[in-house]
């Protein structure tokens, strides 16, 4: 049996799903051991397995251009070809990745990564390089949302912060205080 078959049929303890992403008729699931699987959403049939991460998968996103991106506790982001499952690029960062978001239009193909070290990384997907980084919260970044003008980030704090694409803070949205 293949390495993948051994992973699935070994009878060892079950590893939980730590992240997932749905696109069209496909669901990508990331597991605590770093494995990523592609399933047919209707039939549940496993179609592909992506092997490479050495730690828990914390984030999985897809891009309009057909790429799958995964962020892990192993401090890497992997850029995968969704069609054939090949890992096209590995971004090695200094802290675990907690969340990812993608922005693509005619001029830009960018990914944003929130890290446990409270920073946000702006990554150019065409150049395959980190082009900007800034401390954006006083706790780990846990969620990111992107619009045409701003990047919104949130974490353990009771605030969502809006930043422009150059790392200049725009607004704070203060919420629940316990």
């Amino acid at each position: 049996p293949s390495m993948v078959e051994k992973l699935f049929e070994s009878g060892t303890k079950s590893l939980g799903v730590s992240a997932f992403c749905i696109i069209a008729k496909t669901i990508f699931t990331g597991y605590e051991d770093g494995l990523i699987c592609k399933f047919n959403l209707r039939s549940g049939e496993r179609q592909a397995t992506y092997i490479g991460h050495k730690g828990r998968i914390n984030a999985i996103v897809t891009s309009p251009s057909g790429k799958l991106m995964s962020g892990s506790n192993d401090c890497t982001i992997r850029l995968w070809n969704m069609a054939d499952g090949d890992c096209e690029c590995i971004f090695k960062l200094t802290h675990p990745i907690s969340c990812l978001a993608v922005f693509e239009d005619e001029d830009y193909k960018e990914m944003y990564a929130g890290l446990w070290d409270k920073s946000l990384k702006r990554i150019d997907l065409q150049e395959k390089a980190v082009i900007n980084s800034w401390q954006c919260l006083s706790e780990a970044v846990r969620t990111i949302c992107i619009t045409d003008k701003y990047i919104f980030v949130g974490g353990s704090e009771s605030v969502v912060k809006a930043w422009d694409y150059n790392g200049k803070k725009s607004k704070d949205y203060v919420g629940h205080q316990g």
Side-chain angles (χ1 to χ4, degrees), residues 156-160 172-178:
S156 298
E157 309 168 37
S158 63
V159 63
V160 172
D172 286 349
Y173 300 88
V174 180
H176 177 69
Q177 302 202 1

Side-chain angles (χ1 to χ4, degrees), residues 61-62 69 99-103 110-114 144-146 151:
V61 296
T62 59
M69 287 143 257
C99 54
L100 298 170
V102 176
F103 178 80
E110 296 180 341
M111 173 174 45
Y112 293 83
I144 306 169
C145 184
I146 300 172
I151 305 143

